[in-house]
Amino acid sequence: MKKTLIILAASLMASATAGAQETYENAKIAQKDLTGTARYVGMGGALEALGADISTMGTNPAGIGLYKHSAVNVTAGLVSQANGHDFANGNKTNASFDQGGFVWSTRSGRKSFLNFGFNYSKSRNLDYILSASNSVHGGSISKQSYIKNMLGNVSNGGFSIGKNEQGEYIGYEDAQSTYTAPNFTQLDYLLWNTFIVDPNNQSAGYNEANRYTFDRAHTGYIGEYDFNLSGNINDRIFLGLTFGLYDVHYKGNSTYIENLVDQQGANVGTLTLNDNRKITGSGIDLKFGAIFRPIETSPFRIGIYVHTPTWYDLTTKNYTTLLNGTQLGGYDKGNSSESYDFKIFTPWRFGISMGHTVGNYLALGATYEYADYSTIKSRINTDDYYDYWSDTWSTASKNDNIMNDHTQRTLKGVSTLKLGVEYKPIKDFAIRMGYNYVSSLYKKSGFKDNTLPSEGSYYASTDDYVNWKDLNRFTCGLGYVLGKFTLDFAYQYSTQKGDFYPYAPLSATITENGSTQSESNITGATSVKNNRHQMLFTVGYRF
């Protein structure tokens, strides 16, 4: 066991900078919120066929083709977590700048227009505080790591590359071993070198826990910068193209505490895991859209759109500490820090929508969108090379097939339904309402598998995960036209439940030297919520 530990530590410390990301971390980046102008949000975002709102630039680009005047909009507001409490650098309520952009409209014919636009929007607000606590019966994160080692050979999910002459499993010889990605994580490294192995006699063991508490503050955002070209042909056909740029700013600070017990159930102290992770980077995508009026004498419209994957190039860094309230092990000081670059490709998105107006006092919209999140691709950066065409250095990458297979087993296709209505009781005053239903992207059987021989697991520093369920959004809003100015207010309430797990269910049976040992580490789900209030205010000017 001592030999395994020493090799384990040496291999991790000699790790390369190439990497790929893990399924649950990827899902945070790949999703989008309902965000934009107050009019767009107030109608539940169901404007992909109605158009003439600057936020449709990021969903159906053809919606900008309905503009017949130039316009500029700016949106800001507040986001508050209904069931949250302040933790670390996370606050329950935060101010947010959500949108800013313009459309320049030019006439290209008697009934045709050619429009150009730019819009910034916060496509995902990552501010969220997750808290969970529950009792544990016969499990712990140290037991989780101990069992992973019991799995033996790397092909079975264990740490080892084979057996020695005595028939004992051994660890990695060096970072250049046969397998490019070991099955242990940064958390395994900390547990084995500061807790599982006693600093005096080098024996291996673990403590079970009877309860845990967990808090994490997610902070940051994903900014989306859209550049649009759209057109109007005889007021019947509207076409649009949007080129999108993204910048990612994510921080996660968490504290996980286990109350440890001995074999008789008596308290023997606590184990505390503090994890700080930061993800930054950029991405690009393309969006295509069209809107048709099938009947010349009717305002009824049909919209269709498609988004390419967003190609993200990201960097993640972490600093993680493990304390058990007693003397540390003989091989480490209780902390681990890693940084690596990786790429992910989000799924294609497809949408169809309908819109209809009655006179100048009623507008109705409906949109259906589908994206298959099981197709998210994690990619491993390989070598830097010089691109003579662009006169720049670029990074080659390849698919992380092991993690991508796990993503297919864990995530699924997501359907989004958006409904919206706008009613004008008087000419310059509007009342709006909307609703969204977003199906869960996690399969019920999904779990975070840190036994995979993948860089995504290799660089993981926590074992926890949440399987979020269906999301519901309810919106309303008001609008007022004051000359060339528009003033809009919206309120959005979103509600979502999830199942939190401190670690995945795991069991192993191993036979060595005629002795058989079986272990299991299974904990139930803890129910968590993500309920948020959002208020938005938009000022616009038409010219």
Side-chain angles (χ1 to χ4, degrees):
M1 190 62 69
K2 179 179 179 181
K3 182 178 180 181
T4 300
L5 174 67
I6 295 173
I7 297 172
L8 178 65
S11 177
L12 185 60
M13 295 304 291
S15 61
T17 57
Q21 187 63 307
E22 185 272 332
T23 297
Y24 281 82
E25 294 290 341
N26 288 345
K28 295 176 186 176
I29 305 298
Q31 299 175 74
K32 290 190 175 185
D33 294 331
L34 174 62
T35 186
T37 66
R39 177 173 182 257
Y40 182 82
V41 173
M43 292 185 67
L47 289 165
E48 282 71 34
L50 292 169
D53 188 283
I54 201 167
S55 291
T56 60
M57 193 181 301
T59 52
N60 186 353
I64 304 302
L66 278 86
Y67 272 88
K68 297 181 181 179
H69 299 278
S70 300
V72 60
N73 292 95
V74 176
T75 303
L78 292 173
V79 178
S80 181
Q81 187 175 332
N83 56 319
H85 64 272
D86 294 349
F87 170 75
N89 62 337
N91 298 315
K92 179 179 177 180
T93 302
N94 297 280
S96 179
F97 178 72
D98 291 276
Q99 179 272 328
F102 69 89
V103 173
W104 183 264
S105 182
T106 61
R107 186 181 294 274
S108 59
R110 190 171 66 90
K111 291 185 177 181
S112 302
F113 290 82
L114 182 63
N115 298 334
F116 306 88
F118 166 79
N119 189 49
Y120 162 81
S121 63
K122 187 176 289 185
S123 68
R124 186 149 175 78
N125 188 325
L126 296 168
D127 293 344
Y128 171 61
I129 299 171
L130 174 64
S131 298
S133 62
N134 210 335
S135 58
V136 180
H137 302 285
S140 67
I141 58 172
S142 58
K143 186 177 181 180
Q144 184 82 352
S145 188
Y146 183 84
I147 293 175
K148 286 170 65 176
N149 187 54
M150 284 181 58
L151 291 170
N153 196 283
V154 65
S155 61
N156 298 323
F159 296 156
S160 303
I161 58 174
K163 294 183 178 181
N164 60 19
E165 294 179 355
Q166 289 73 40
E168 298 172 333
Y169 284 107
I170 59 175
Y172 280 78
E173 295 178 351
D174 53 48
Q176 306 301 321
S177 60
T178 304
Y179 298 92
T180 59
N183 282 33
F184 55 83
T185 68
Q186 289 187 74
L187 179 56
D188 292 322
Y189 165 75
L190 287 172
L191 287 165
W192 279 89
N193 292 324
T194 66
F195 186 74
I196 292 178
V197 174
D198 186 275
N200 297 316
N201 59 25
Q202 313 301 325
S203 63
Y206 61 84
N207 278 103
E208 294 181 346
N210 61 11
R211 189 166 188 83
Y212 73 84
T213 59
F214 177 85
D215 291 283
R216 174 177 288 129
H218 306 261
T219 60
Y221 65 94
I222 300 177
E224 180 177 352
Y225 305 82
D226 288 327
F227 301 83
N228 176 269
L229 173 64
S230 56
N232 170 338
I233 303 174
N234 294 323
D235 208 28
R236 290 281 304 279
I237 300 174
F238 308 86
L239 303 172
L241 169 67
T242 295
F243 171 68
L245 297 174
Y246 297 80
D247 65 330
V248 179
H249 305 269
Y250 166 79
K251 290 183 179 180
N253 299 303
S254 67
T255 297
Y256 174 79
I257 302 174
E258 284 184 337
N259 186 47
L260 303 177
V261 296
D262 60 19
Q263 294 181 351
Q264 287 72 42
N267 292 332
V268 294
T270 60
L271 182 148
T272 301
L273 177 69
N274 293 307
D275 181 68
N276 299 277
R277 182 167 293 277
K278 182 179 181 180
I279 301 175
T280 57
S282 59
I284 60 173
D285 71 2
L286 290 173
K287 311 173 186 72
F288 308 88
I291 298 175
F292 309 92
R293 283 201 304 113
I295 303 172
E296 184 175 6
T297 58
S298 172
F300 175 74
R301 305 161 197 167
I302 298 174
I304 56 174
Y305 60 91
V306 58
H307 298 183
T308 69
T310 303
W311 297 286
Y312 280 114
D313 194 348
L314 303 169
T315 298
T316 185
K317 300 178 181 179
N318 76 287
Y319 181 76
T320 307
T321 60
L322 184 71
L323 300 174
N324 65 351
T326 61
Q327 183 180 2
L328 297 176
Y331 297 97
D332 195 74
K333 296 181 179 180
N335 61 72
S336 176
S337 178
E338 292 284 347
S339 174
Y340 71 95
D341 302 323
F342 65 99
K343 292 180 172 64
I344 61 171
F345 296 167
T346 68
W348 288 80
R349 297 176 186 270
F350 304 91
I352 185 170
S353 55
M354 296 182 292
H356 187 63
T357 58
V358 179
N360 60 358
Y361 64 89
L362 182 66
L364 304 169
T367 298
Y368 173 78
E369 181 179 289
Y370 180 80
D372 186 358
Y373 285 83
S374 71
T375 63
I376 292 176
K377 299 300 181 185
S378 298
R379 295 185 64 83
I380 301 170
N381 288 349
T382 53
D383 300 313
D384 290 337
Y385 66 92
Y386 185 73
D387 188 337
Y388 289 93
W389 180 261
S390 62
D391 192 30
T392 59
W393 283 91
S394 300
T395 302
S397 64
K398 64 178 181 180
N399 279 324
D400 183 352
N401 293 321
I402 293 174
M403 186 58 67
N404 292 338
D405 288 343
H406 175 260
T407 299
Q408 288 184 336
R409 299 193 303 269
T410 304
L411 306 184
K412 60 182 181 179
V414 172
S415 294
T416 301
L417 175 65
K418 299 192 288 188
L419 304 173
V421 58
E422 178 181 68
Y423 173 65
K424 293 183 178 180
I426 58 176
K427 179 182 177 182
D428 294 327
F429 179 71
I431 302 171
R432 304 172 182 123
M433 295 185 66
Y435 170 74
N436 284 186
Y437 169 79
V438 184
S439 64
S440 172
L441 63 86
Y442 298 96
K443 294 180 180 178
K444 290 183 178 180
S445 59
F447 63 92
K448 184 176 182 178
D449 190 351
N450 279 343
T451 67
L452 299 173
S454 161
E455 277 83 354
S457 297
Y458 182 38
Y459 286 96
S461 52
T462 59
D463 277 343
D464 64 274
Y465 63 98
V466 182
N467 286 339
W468 291 106
K469 301 178 181 181
D470 299 346
L471 169 66
N472 290 274
R473 302 185 182 114
F474 305 88
T475 69
C476 61
L478 302 172
Y480 185 69
V481 178
L482 184 63
K484 292 185 177 182
F485 287 92
T486 58
L487 306 174
D488 298 287
F489 169 81
Y491 167 76
Q492 176 182 183
Y493 175 69
S494 61
T495 178
Q496 187 177 32
K497 295 181 179 180
D499 291 328
F500 172 87
Y501 297 86
Y503 42 78
L506 187 64
S507 61
T509 300
I510 187 171
T511 301
E512 276 191 342
N513 302 322
S515 176
T516 299
Q517 181 182 0
S518 297
E519 295 279 6
S520 63
N521 200 40
I522 298 174
T523 185
T526 299
S527 181
V528 293
K529 297 179 180 180
N530 185 6
N531 298 338
R532 297 203 297 181
H533 304 277
Q534 182 181 24
M535 293 181 290
L536 295 167
F537 181 70
T538 300
V539 177
Y541 181 74
R542 297 180 296 179
F543 57 97

